[in-house]
Amino acid sequence: MSARTLNLMPSSEVMAAEVDGVDLSAPVESELAAALNDAFLDHLVLCIRGQRLTPSQYLDAARIFGEPQQQLVKHFLHRSEPLISLVSSVDNRDKAGDGRPIVRGPYWHTDDSFFEIPAKATVLYAVEIPRGRGDTWFANMHAAYEALDQELKARIANMRAVHKYVSRRAGARVAKLSEEDREKTPEVSHPLVRTHPETGRMSLYLNPNRIDRVEGLSLTQSDALLDSLYAHAFEERFHYRHRWHEGDLLIWDNRCTMHRASTDLKPGDRRLLHRILLRGTRPQ
Ligand code: SIN
């Protein structure tokens, strides 16, 4: 299939697109790979429907967009392909075992911002999806930035925020780390407004689950600023809701989006996605 014949449909006016008629279990030619990468950069969230992939074919498919990297939390890793982790509603190793489905990532976040070099993108492959539930929400952070008034844009232009694995403002519980992994996650500082390294577009770089404070402000001032930026980014006009189908391969750009999983799973629901993180660059 050539770029000209890529069957691409926008999913909403805010962001996201879906592609039909591409089989990622077979080798992908460079022209198609380039078209998929362009679509990913243009739409921020790209869904390639109808895949049937083994874990190693899934890794090859993710490599179309970048380099898969090791993930921090080890107890979710796939047994035979450790670059893949499992997002599973029935993995209750770190829960009370009360049978309620587990939702990882129920609060707005962008992946791995607690690292100096956060993941550029996340890829999820839908293995098992409960009918009509377990959607994933996305926020377009270019649009959120562009909608700020000029005064606020000027105020935050050079501000930086401290991101931590366990932030005092975290909205959701985070997975426990081993002593060794805790040492790999000292607090880091990132700009509040970042420029996309490939498109040059600016976006708010927020992570309500990991930002502890804004540098150079008192905690009271920092909390007030973060609360107002979050309230703005949480407005539905910036959001897209992805309704999963089994066989979806979904990639999103962590540099300019946030996401959260819906918390509407019912007892007995089985939701399993395979997750890959792609290596990024230092936020600028
Ligand atoms: C994630 O936060 O990486 C997973 C999102 C989801 O389960 O929908």
Side-chain angles (χ1 to χ4, degrees), residues 100-111:
R100 276 181 301 161
I102 290 180
V103 178
R104 271 174 67 191
Y107 196 60
W108 287 109
H109 64 284
T110 178
D111 286 331

Side-chain angles (χ1 to χ4, degrees), residues 87-88 103-107 109 111 122 124 134-138 244 252 259-262 271 273 275 277:
V87 177
S88 170
V103 178
R104 271 174 67 191
Y107 196 60
H109 64 284
D111 286 331
T122 303
L124 287 186
D135 300 337
T136 305
W137 289 84
F138 292 90
W244 289 98
W252 66 81
H259 61 279
R260 69 173 178 83
S262 294
R271 181 179 188 266
L273 301 121
R275 177 177 187 258
L277 293 178

